[in-house]
Amino acid sequence: MINTETETAVTVSKKYFDVNKIREDFPILRKKVHNKNLVYLDNAATTQKPEFVINKINEYYTTMNSNIHRGVHALSQTATEAYERARIQIKQFINALGKNQIIFTRGTTEAINLVASSYGRANIKEGDEIIISHMEHHSNIVPWQLLCKEKNAKLRIIPINDNGELIFKEFEKLVNEKTKFISVVYVSNSLGTINPVKRIINYAHQFNIPVLLDGAQAVNHLKVDVQDLDCDFLAFSGHKIYGPTGIGALYGKVELLDAMPPYMGGGDMISKVTFEETTYNELPHKFEAGTPDIAGAIGLGAAIEYVSNIGIENIIEHETSLLEYSTKQVSEIPGLKIIGDAKEKAGVLSFVLENIHPHDIGTLLDFEGVAIRTGHHCTQPLMQRFNIPATSRASFAMYNTKEEIDVLVNGLKKTIKVFG
Ligand code: PMP
């Protein structure tokens, strides 16, 4: 049995926030795009990776590559230790009680599908209702829709107001004796709205309804404490928090995870296999069939270590100032309308410009070296709610600066000139 619980995190930097120093940690930020300095404002899609993370992945492949959990040889032991250490880093980061509550997945999407398939298939019956909100990412709509189709259950939607906030009173009205599950986004990727998830969870728990939080945009912008929130499940992706793509995690309460059937069958998730019957491994391995993304998990652990050492509070403060500054700057642009004006908001700025399609905005900004996202952001029902096909979205990370926002704003002004 490997005991990695006692290992302490390596210190990357002091808890002192210096954006220029942080930028030096991200090699890609030195890149030129169309001969301009890269201004990367597409962080809600994916964040850039610090050298610390890149080096940890490199170190894994150059010094310890081997399969985990099954080998008695030295490399396998080292790789297992590093992989399990990443699990502990996640556990500490979100303040879970035990490391067996952290299941590695490919990301948020797989984590939600795991719960919908495993918990959902076992517990949702004909006539039951599942509540989501109008601002969900497709990853938190389609898995529930598939389940509802299979079980003849019903999906109920929490409406939102024109500012892009959930209407809590309407949520309360939706909850009834048929409600068997609630799955909501913590921070909206399209609007930046921070939802009152603690209030939702408190309310749901009065009726013993479990709540899953889509934390894809939360863990990188907020201090997420699963014990304090008392959420039943939390899903997130590594690549949105400066880690690699293809890795993420599902947190779940032990009693729920224990009672859930496996999601996938294969190696590592079993205790004993015969042709007649198979017994399953203990948590979390029951849900980790097959060889996982070992390097990815180690990379995610490193990303969490990096973020922890910068200090999530420092990151929040910096991103809040960027959001305030950018909101003020773009508000002065004639014909620009911000989509999503919630009181509680994290580093996302979505907008539309009169008579200019977001794709044209994105293309012209690209010539200025500015990377933003344009489109429906995998939230088509939300676009329908605002009666728009798409938005332009700038989203911020710890390495962005006010000077970069100025480049964005100047780029927008140029775009308006071009389109007359
Ligand atoms: N939910 C939200 C709120 C997201 O922003 C995203 C990614 N854009 C997802 C879910 C899906 O994440 P992934 O593609 O990493 O599984």
Side-chain angles (χ1 to χ4, degrees), residues 86-100:
R87 198 190 303 279
I88 291 161
Q89 287 170 312
I90 296 170
K91 175 214 136 187
Q92 288 168 343
F93 187 64
I94 60 170
N95 195 29
L97 260 179
K99 65 179 173 130
N100 60 345

Side-chain angles (χ1 to χ4, degrees), residues 44-45 106-110 112 135-140 185-190 214-217 236-240 247 377-378 393:
R106 284 194 296 127
T108 308
T109 305
E110 191 180 49
I112 297 173
M135 66 174 87
E136 299 307 324
H137 188 281
H138 297 160
S139 300
N140 200 25
V185 67
Y186 195 161
V187 176
S188 158
N189 62 310
S190 294
D214 171 351
Q217 302 291 344
F236 71 92
S237 304
H239 69 101
K240 313 254 189 205
I247 190 78
H377 318 297
C378 294
R393 180 188 71 186

Side-chain angles (χ1 to χ4, degrees), residues 7-267:
E7 275 192 45
T8 53
V10 177
T11 300
V12 183
S13 69
K14 284 205 300 197
K15 286 198 174 160
Y16 170 70
F17 196 90
D18 178 347
V19 71
N20 292 321
K21 231 168 154 279
I22 285 169
R23 288 179 69 82
E24 284 170 18
D25 291 342
F26 291 80
I28 207 166
L29 298 181
R30 297 194 274 277
K31 200 177 153 64
K32 299 267 182 202
V33 172
H34 304 304
N35 278 328
K36 303 272 169 66
N37 289 332
L38 169 66
V39 173
Y40 187 78
L41 298 173
D42 193 17
N43 296 289
T46 198
T47 51
Q48 300 302 345
K49 322 304 170 201
E51 212 150 23
F52 183 69
V53 169
I54 299 165
N55 288 346
K56 283 282 178 188
I57 296 167
N58 188 30
E59 184 190 18
Y60 166 74
Y61 281 120
T62 49
T63 69
M64 61 182 95
N65 176 53
S66 61
N67 214 328
I68 53 167
H69 292 147
R70 289 168 286 238
V72 291
H73 61 80
L75 281 188
S76 179
Q77 295 271 328
T78 316
T80 304
E81 245 171 70
Y83 179 78
E84 290 302 327
R85 180 165 178 251
R87 198 190 303 279
I88 291 161
Q89 287 170 312
I90 296 170
K91 175 214 136 187
Q92 288 168 343
F93 187 64
I94 60 170
N95 195 29
L97 260 179
K99 65 179 173 130
N100 60 345
Q101 296 178 281
I102 309 298
I103 295 150
F104 282 114
T105 64
R106 284 194 296 127
T108 308
T109 305
E110 191 180 49
I112 297 173
N113 275 278
L114 190 164
V115 178
S117 299
S118 170
Y119 181 89
R121 285 221 181 96
N123 293 284
I124 303 298
K125 298 182 190 62
E126 185 170 350
D128 286 349
E129 295 184 356
I130 295 167
I131 296 179
I132 60 171
S133 84
H134 211 129
M135 66 174 87
E136 299 307 324
H137 188 281
H138 297 160
S139 300
N140 200 25
I141 301 174
V142 186
W144 304 112
Q145 230 167 22
L146 289 168
L147 177 67
C148 285
K149 271 221 168 102
E150 185 183 316
K151 296 287 184 175
N152 219 358
K154 197 166 175 200
L155 204 55
R156 306 293 305 270
I157 314 297
I158 312 169
I160 61 173
N161 64 22
D162 290 342
N163 294 331
E165 293 162 321
L166 293 185
I167 306 172
F168 197 83
K169 274 206 155 47
E170 296 297 324
F171 161 67
E172 286 178 324
K173 280 192 220 157
L174 285 178
V175 176
N176 64 50
E177 67 285 353
K178 291 187 219 149
T179 312
K180 294 292 148 57
F181 202 84
I182 297 168
S183 192
V184 284
V185 67
Y186 195 161
V187 176
S188 158
N189 62 310
S190 294
L191 307 172
T193 308
I194 302 172
N195 284 317
V197 293
K198 208 168 164 180
R199 219 173 139 201
I200 290 174
I201 293 163
N202 278 340
Y203 190 78
H205 283 177
Q206 289 175 41
F207 307 94
N208 292 322
I209 305 163
V211 181
L212 181 149
L213 296 182
D214 171 351
Q217 302 291 344
V219 290
N220 49 347
H221 295 303
L222 302 173
K223 173 91 200 88
V224 175
D225 179 330
V226 289
Q227 288 190 69
D228 178 54
L229 289 167
D230 200 26
C231 57
D232 299 279
F233 298 101
L234 172 85
F236 71 92
S237 304
H239 69 101
K240 313 254 189 205
I241 184 164
Y242 313 100
T245 53
I247 190 78
L250 171 72
Y251 157 85
K253 283 190 178 159
V254 169
E255 59 276 22
L256 294 173
L257 292 173
D258 255 339
M260 281 159 56
Y263 171 52
M264 288 200 285

